[in-house]
Amino acid sequence: MRRGRLTLVCVAGAGLASLASLTAAHISTMPSSTPKFADYPVEVFRGPKPPLQLTEEQEYWRRTYDDAREQEPNFAGRYVLHGAPSGCCGDVPIVMLGLDLATGKPIDVDIRQGDAFKDCAPKYKDQAGKRVRAAYYYRAESRLIVVTGAAPGDRCLVEFFVENGGSLRLVHQTVIEPKP
């Protein structure tokens, strides 16, 4: 599954809710066919939260899931996405964890993360002339997640995924061209 928005520990923190810098600038200049958060509305879950239902393997992340359970949904109406930093590598996010607040069950978040989630090379700039950073952008009231960052082949991408039934589907991808 691919998802995103909330406390993406140390990655995109402050820019998540507002689609800051790169993505705001690039999305505003993209064709009208580019997906927008408003294109994928969803009602936000406000019901009682059931207890966590973790497998033995997921118990390793219990504290992170406990913290996520205390949050309000931050993606696709019922999910909390949370970046979990590696204990060995400082605050570099290694995994993105997700929790379905309606069921108490963790979900797979199958998007670029860890070593595959990096800032674009310095030659890639947003409309304001700032370097394109690796970031996830999502909202509680939308099923859309936008992922920016480096991709194989020295490319810089903006990818758009839509949540549907607990999984993510790539619906649009835009290559950012290098700028002097």
Side-chain angles (χ1 to χ4, degrees):
M1 264 185 296
R2 305 172 186 210
R3 303 198 176 21
R5 170 197 143 134
L6 166 71
T7 322
L8 273 180
V9 176
C10 305
V11 179
L16 294 176
S18 63
L19 277 191
S21 156
L22 158 80
T23 306
H26 281 287
I27 290 175
S28 67
T29 61
M30 289 181 185
S32 61
S33 62
T34 301
K36 310 232 179 335
F37 289 112
D39 296 339
Y40 301 95
V42 65
E43 189 173 319
V44 177
F45 173 76
R46 302 283 184 219
K49 298 174 185 174
L52 290 175
Q53 298 181 39
L54 304 179
T55 65
E56 188 174 318
E57 183 179 286
Q58 293 163 337
E59 282 291 335
Y60 177 83
W61 298 103
R62 176 169 283 283
R63 185 172 176 191
T64 302
Y65 286 122
D66 283 339
D67 290 345
R69 188 175 178 278
E70 297 303 314
Q71 305 285 333
E72 293 299 317
N74 64 13
F75 174 65
R78 63 189 283 162
Y79 304 104
V80 171
L81 298 181
H82 195 88
S86 163
C88 67
C89 305
D91 56 6
V92 176
I94 298 301
V95 295
M96 171 79 86
L97 300 175
L99 179 66
D100 184 335
L101 291 177
T103 67
K105 294 179 181 179
I107 56 170
D108 284 332
V109 181
D110 185 19
I111 54 178
R112 282 185 286 139
Q113 51 189 308
D115 290 339
F117 187 65
K118 297 178 181 173
D119 293 344
C120 293
K123 66 184 175 184
Y124 296 102
K125 309 249 189 286
D126 67 15
Q127 301 297 349
K130 295 181 181 177
R131 184 174 175 187
V132 175
R133 301 291 181 179
Y136 306 103
Y137 301 94
Y138 44 94
R139 297 180 179 170
E141 68 280 354
S142 178
R143 296 182 303 116
L144 181 70
I145 180 171
V146 181
V147 180
T148 62
D154 190 32
R155 297 181 310 151
C156 189
L157 299 174
V158 179
E159 296 173 301
F160 300 80
F161 298 91
V162 173
E163 184 277 335
N164 187 14
S167 64
L168 291 178
R169 178 175 52 94
L170 179 65
V171 295
H172 188 78
Q173 186 177 71
T174 299
V175 176
I176 299 171
E177 299 298 328
K179 297 194 183 206

